[in-house]
């Protein structure tokens, strides 16, 4: 049964005998995110209940939202680029996703329940890091996450996540290296597929490009040129290009 390991989309295949061993049951009582035979209802319930949302400080698969219970419930929300959890088998909305880490893509929205339930929204792409050394360009913004698919019959697709903003290029007027260019904005995520009697999710806008670094101070009266701003990401409405850097002083 898929819900026996419901709290993690990336968890390894679970041995059913091990799940019901005395040690496993004792451990489940101490760990609120694990499968617990004695928690059929409520948050994290395997029969009726919402999936557990990921929290700040998570790493890897722990940043994915938990799946909902077997019958009814909504999927948990992802965090830091983690995916949203799937809705319950009969009816339930998929979980939304958190914004991606620096320059990383937004997470995928959780799928709605089999019969009904909206797909979760895709996460916003991560903002690119700014350049930190002379001549270093800004990091490109992350792509927005794809919206989750809606329920098979009645479930609207989740909206795609907006692309992340590109980082700014590094500026150092006293350097001998040219300034860094702005990072490109991330592309917007596509909306999730809708159910048979429901609409497709909305596609997202692209992220804005980062600003270019300012030109270096010139030698012999001529200042250096400012760097180009990053290009905006693609989407329903493309992101704005970043501003070019100012020319250096002569």
């Amino acid at each position: 049964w898929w819900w026996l390991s419901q709290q993690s989309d990336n968890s390894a295949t679970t041995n059913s005998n091990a799940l019901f061993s005395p040690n496993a049951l004792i451990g489940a009582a101490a760990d609120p995110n694990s499968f617990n035979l004695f928690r059929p209802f409520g948050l994290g319930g395997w029969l009726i209940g919402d999936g557990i949302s990921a929290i700040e400080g998570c790493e890897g698969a722990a940043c994915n939202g938990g799946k909902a219970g077997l019958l009814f419930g909504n999927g948990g929300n992802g965090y830091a680029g983690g995916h949203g959890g799937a809705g319950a088998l009969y009816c339930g909305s998929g979980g939304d996703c958190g914004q991606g880490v620096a320059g990383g893509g937004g997470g995928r929205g959780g799928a709605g329940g089999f019969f009904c339930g909206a797909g979760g929204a895709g996460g916003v792409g991560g903002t690119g890091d700014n350049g930190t050394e002379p001549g270093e360009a800004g990091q490109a913004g992350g792509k927005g996450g794809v919206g989750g698919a809606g329920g098979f019959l009645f479930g609207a697709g989740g909206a795609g996540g907006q692309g992340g903003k590109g980082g700014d290029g590094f500026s150092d007027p006293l350097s001998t290296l040219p300034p860094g260019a702005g990072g490109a904005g991330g592309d917007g995520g596509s909306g999730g597929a809708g159910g048979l009697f429901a609409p497709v999710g909305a596609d997202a806008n692209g992220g804005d490009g980062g600003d270019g670094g300012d030109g270096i101070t010139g030698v012999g009266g001529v200042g250096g040129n400012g760097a180009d701003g990053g290009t905006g990401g693609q989407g329903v409405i493309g992101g704005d290009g970043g501003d070019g850097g100012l020319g250096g002083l002569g």
Side-chain angles (χ1 to χ4, degrees):
W1 295 335
W2 64 270
W3 41 268
L4 289 179
S5 56
Q6 64 174 331
Q7 303 306 336
S8 173
D9 286 337
N10 295 333
S11 61
T13 302
T14 305
N15 184 304
S16 60
N17 292 329
L19 282 170
F20 297 100
S21 68
N23 289 338
L25 295 178
I26 293 173
D31 183 0
N33 293 328
S34 66
F35 171 75
N36 190 336
L37 177 65
F38 304 105
R39 189 173 59 205
F41 306 108
L43 184 63
W46 56 264
L47 185 61
I48 297 176
D50 294 339
I52 297 175
S53 296
I55 59 176
E56 185 177 359
C58 63
E59 295 182 0
C63 292
N64 295 329
K67 294 177 181 177
L70 178 63
L71 298 181
F72 300 101
N74 301 322
N77 297 331
Y79 189 86
H83 305 314
L89 177 62
Y90 279 93
C91 192
S93 298
D96 296 331
C97 304
Q99 181 174 1
V101 297
R108 182 187 66 250
F114 181 75
F115 291 105
C116 64
V124 176
T127 300
D129 284 333
N130 297 331
T132 57
E133 298 179 359
E136 183 177 7
Q139 184 184 24
K143 183 176 181 179
V146 177
F152 178 69
L153 295 177
F154 305 99
Q162 181 172 342
K165 182 183 183 302
D168 296 337
F170 188 79
S171 296
D172 183 0
L174 301 180
S175 173
T176 59
L177 297 174
D187 295 338
S190 57
L196 291 178
F197 306 102
V200 175
D203 294 338
N205 298 332
D208 295 338
D211 296 336
D214 295 336
I216 61 175
T217 300
V219 178
V222 179
N225 294 325
D228 293 335
T231 57
Q234 297 181 352
V236 175
I237 299 176
D240 294 331
D243 295 330
L246 300 176
L249 299 175

